[in-house]
Amino acid sequence: MDEVLFYISQGDKNESKKTAVESFAYISSIHSSKQYQSYRHASSPLHGTCITGIGPGERIFTCDSKKALINVYSYGKEGIDQRIPVPESLNTLHIIHHPETTTSDFQLHQKPNFRIPWLLCGGSKSGKLYIWELSSGDLLCVKEAHYQGISIIKSSSCKTFLITGGEDARCLVWNLADLISIYGNNNNGGDENGQDHLRLVKPYWAISENTLPITDLNLNPTGIINDLKLYTSSKDGTVRVFDIMTKSQLTTFILPHSVESLTRDPANRALYVGLSNGQIKMIPLYKFNPHTSVLEGVGGMNKIITIDAQDPNLATTFVQHQDASSPVLQLCISMDGTSLISGDASGQIYVSDIVTKQTIKSFTSLSFPIAYLVLQTVSTKTLDSTRGNVRSDKKHRMVPTLKRVLASSDPAEHTLFMDIPEPVTIDEDDESDGDFNSWLETKRVEELQFKNLSDIDSTVKTIGNNTSSSSNNTNLESKLKKVSEAYTGLRSKYEELLKEHAKLLDDK
């Protein structure tokens, strides 16, 4: 196993040849110097990239900041694989995968080589929200959501809510089912019924607490929807925590500078925010109370907390980007919560240790500001470019062309093509102790591969029979006793000879 980082730059905002020559995107390991993939002519606006995954058959979507196009890259191919036209130029993109559903008759399925996610969401400069179904290319939603451009789009892990943040300082929480349910009122009216339905759709919750544009959003993955929290950052220097189900604001953190990026610890222990002056501040969500000896939560009940700008001991401040005075535009954190990956406006990307606040790795510098970072844990066998399954997906498996007209409200006109993998059959007669032992051995090897982040696997082999271990021990003890006695006698002879030699020297 290896933790792999995908990063891409924004490119030159001025139309020049330098953008086409020096715009790159890379897939590299954060624990070693290995670089798995590189992509040419790759650039996008801030938060204008989304990725289905890292590995063979996966896709990377980037929106062109100057043209109404979406560029599609395939894993294993450096150049652009597809150029898909869209109604207007987009600012941000977001992928939503199929929701996990459980059935009574549970079946295991083989993982298909090519996977198409469920929905592709895009936000335009005019404030419109677009949602396409990637498997068919149908346009399910066109909604005038914000008064100004949409800066970022995120969805909850349960696929219930869709959150959009805009330059109009508003953050809107949408019910995803309301946006894409175009087949609810079918009166043979074609697209008009779909438009009328979308006009009636209102946000589940409109958050207008900020005064400047929203820069980043984050949601905690949870199995219980009542525990769903929303974290927002804004250029007004605030980080706010909201409870979506109760529609209440829990905490407001006031930072000394404008907040450009935000990420959350995997265990909800702290927040990490990138500031416009190049600093990264750590905001602890739990603190130890010395009076009660209890770890208590920070904030709640709409509490306002001011983060001190002075930190001479660097207890909660990262200063890797402060030398260049570049805003920290992107942040992400490793799976175990020990490493922080940050990218700034000068194209620098660093991996910092959270405990010591020191830089442990720096990536290949890009010539333009960082637009997007994503970190995933992938098997090294999947990432091996020498395997034959990297280019297994041919031209007929390309992403369908995205429609520019709203899909019909008649479900009979909805045509969908999907790969259904064959189920994995398990023979009940083969369930024996031997198979269980082999399963344990397989899990042991997988654990070793996960712990060992290099390409060298080290194992310890025991040679000999366990039944004769006691006799071997007695033989070894007797041999050791004979060797020690011989060594003692030899040392005594050596000391006597040394004394005789000293006497001879004194006589002379």
Side-chain angles (χ1 to χ4, degrees):
M1 304 296 289
D2 195 4
E3 284 188 283
V4 180
L5 178 72
F6 169 79
Y7 57 100
I8 186 173
S9 69
Q10 297 184 23
D12 192 2
K13 295 183 180 179
N14 301 322
E15 241 177 294
S16 62
K17 296 182 180 179
K18 186 179 180 182
T19 305
V21 175
E22 299 184 4
S23 296
F24 289 95
Y26 297 98
I27 295 179
S28 305
S29 171
I30 68 170
H31 298 287
S32 64
S33 59
K34 192 167 185 179
Q35 180 177 303
Y36 294 101
Q37 290 292 329
S38 62
Y39 300 94
R40 295 180 286 107
H41 313 299
S43 64
S44 75
L46 187 63
H47 303 294
T49 302
C50 59
I51 183 170
T52 62
I54 296 177
E58 303 293 357
R59 296 290 187 269
I60 299 170
F61 298 87
T62 64
C63 53
D64 198 315
S65 58
K66 304 178 184 65
K67 301 177 182 178
L69 288 175
I70 292 180
N71 300 322
V72 184
Y73 294 84
S74 299
Y75 184 85
K77 185 177 180 181
E78 289 189 352
I80 297 176
D81 200 18
Q82 290 179 259
R83 296 181 187 269
I84 303 177
V86 290
E88 60 178 313
S89 180
L90 301 179
N91 272 351
T92 180
L93 291 176
H94 179 66
I95 283 284
I96 302 178
H97 291 272
H98 287 274
E100 297 180 359
T101 57
T102 57
T103 57
S104 58
D105 50 345
F106 177 73
Q107 277 189 336
L108 297 176
H109 291 272
Q110 295 177 352
K111 193 175 183 180
N113 292 328
F114 180 79
R115 291 167 292 171
I116 294 182
W118 183 27
L119 301 174
L120 175 65
C121 305
S124 69
K125 298 179 180 179
S126 61
K128 288 184 180 180
L129 173 65
Y130 295 87
I131 301 179
W132 289 276
E133 185 182 38
L134 274 178
S135 300
S136 60
D138 290 342
L139 179 60
L140 303 182
C141 172
V142 180
K143 181 70 177 176
E144 295 182 359
H146 291 263
Y147 301 116
Q148 298 182 29
I150 298 177
S151 57
I152 187 170
I153 301 175
K154 289 292 180 69
S155 62
S156 60
S157 59
C158 59
K159 312 299 184 297
T160 304
F161 297 106
L162 183 73
I163 296 91
T164 59
E167 298 177 357
D168 56 356
R170 294 198 309 159
C171 183
L172 302 181
V173 181
W174 303 88
N175 194 326
L176 183 60
D178 294 340
L179 293 174
I180 63 175
S181 59
I182 62 174
Y183 307 120
N185 299 318
N186 183 20
N187 296 321
N188 298 325
D191 296 337
E192 295 182 357
N193 282 334
Q195 292 284 4
D196 294 338
H197 166 71
L198 289 173
R199 291 191 188 99
L200 298 176
V201 173
K202 295 183 179 180
Y204 170 80
W205 185 21
I207 303 173
S208 57
E209 304 293 336
N210 296 99
T211 57
L212 290 178
I214 303 294
T215 57
D216 209 344
L217 300 173
N218 198 292
L219 292 102
N220 61 325
T222 177
I224 304 174
I225 196 172
N226 291 332
D227 195 30
L228 187 60
K229 302 292 188 301
L230 172 64
Y231 305 87
T232 67
S233 63
S234 174
K235 286 184 177 293
D236 59 6
T238 60
V239 173
R240 301 175 188 269
V241 185
F242 300 95
D243 191 319
I244 293 182
M245 296 308 296
T246 60
K247 298 183 181 180
S248 60
Q249 181 173 337
L250 301 179
T251 314
T252 302
F253 298 98
I254 300 177
L255 280 301
H257 297 277
S258 172
V259 183
E260 303 293 335
S261 56
L262 168 70
T263 190
R264 178 187 48 83
D265 183 81
N268 289 330
R269 295 171 295 187
L271 296 175
Y272 300 89
V273 295
L275 305 181
S276 58
N277 66 339
Q279 290 184 352
I280 302 174
K281 286 286 187 179
M282 181 180 70
I283 304 175
L285 298 179
Y286 295 91
K287 284 188 177 180
F288 179 76
N289 191 338
H291 302 288
T292 60
S293 300
V294 175
L295 195 64
E296 298 178 350
V298 175
M301 303 296 292
N302 203 4
K303 190 175 181 180
I304 300 176
I305 300 175
T306 303
I307 305 300
D308 192 4
Q310 303 297 327
D311 188 13
N313 297 326
L314 299 181
T316 60
T317 307
F318 298 80
V319 293
Q320 281 78 7
H321 303 274
Q322 196 172 7
D323 297 336
S325 298
S326 299
V328 182
L329 301 178
Q330 288 289 319
L331 286 174
C332 61
I333 195 168
S334 61
M335 183 188 64
D336 56 359
T338 59
S339 300
L340 182 68
I341 299 91
S342 56
D344 60 12
S346 62
Q348 299 290 336
I349 300 176
Y350 298 110
V351 181
S352 308
D353 185 76
I354 289 180
V355 178
T356 61
K357 309 295 187 297
Q358 299 296 319
T359 302
I360 58 179
K361 181 179 172 60
S362 62
F363 288 93
T364 303
S365 176
L366 301 181
S367 303
F368 307 106
I370 302 300
Y372 183 70
L373 293 179
V374 63
L375 187 67
Q376 292 188 2
T377 304
V378 192
S379 173
T380 53
K381 294 182 180 179
T382 305
L383 296 169
D384 189 3
S385 60
T386 60
R387 296 170 66 89
N389 59 353
V390 173
R391 293 295 298 154
S392 60
D393 51 313
K394 301 299 181 182
K395 189 174 181 179
H396 65 278
R397 294 306 305 148
M398 285 187 173
V399 177
T401 303
L402 302 180
K403 304 295 191 301
R404 306 179 71 174
V405 179
L406 198 67
S408 173
S409 58
D410 186 6
E413 298 181 8
H414 183 220
T415 304
L416 183 64
F417 298 95
M418 290 189 67
D419 287 337
I420 301 178
E422 297 180 357
V424 178
T425 58
I426 301 176
D427 192 0
E428 297 181 355
D429 297 335
D430 292 339
E431 294 181 356
S432 59
D433 294 338
D435 290 339
F436 180 71
N437 293 332
S438 63
W439 179 80
L440 288 178
E441 179 66 18
T442 304
K443 293 303 177 184
R444 186 190 68 80
V445 174
E446 290 178 356
E447 182 182 7
L448 178 64
Q449 293 177 354
F450 183 79
K451 289 183 178 180
N452 186 16
L453 296 174
S454 63
D455 296 333
I456 302 174
D457 291 336
S458 58
T459 56
V460 179
K461 294 183 179 180
T462 305
I463 302 175
N465 192 2
N466 294 330
T467 57
S468 60
S469 60
S470 59
S471 60
N472 291 336
N473 291 336
T474 54
N475 293 334
L476 290 175
E477 288 177 358
S478 62
K479 291 180 180 180
L480 181 61
K481 186 176 181 181
K482 290 180 182 179
V483 171
S484 61
E485 290 176 355
Y487 173 75
T488 304
L490 182 62
R491 185 173 181 82
S492 61
K493 290 290 185 182
Y494 175 76
E495 290 177 354
E496 291 177 1
L497 291 174
L498 186 61
K499 290 179 181 179
E500 292 293 335
H501 179 67
K503 287 180 181 180
L504 291 174
L505 291 177
D506 293 338
D507 294 340
K508 290 182 179 181

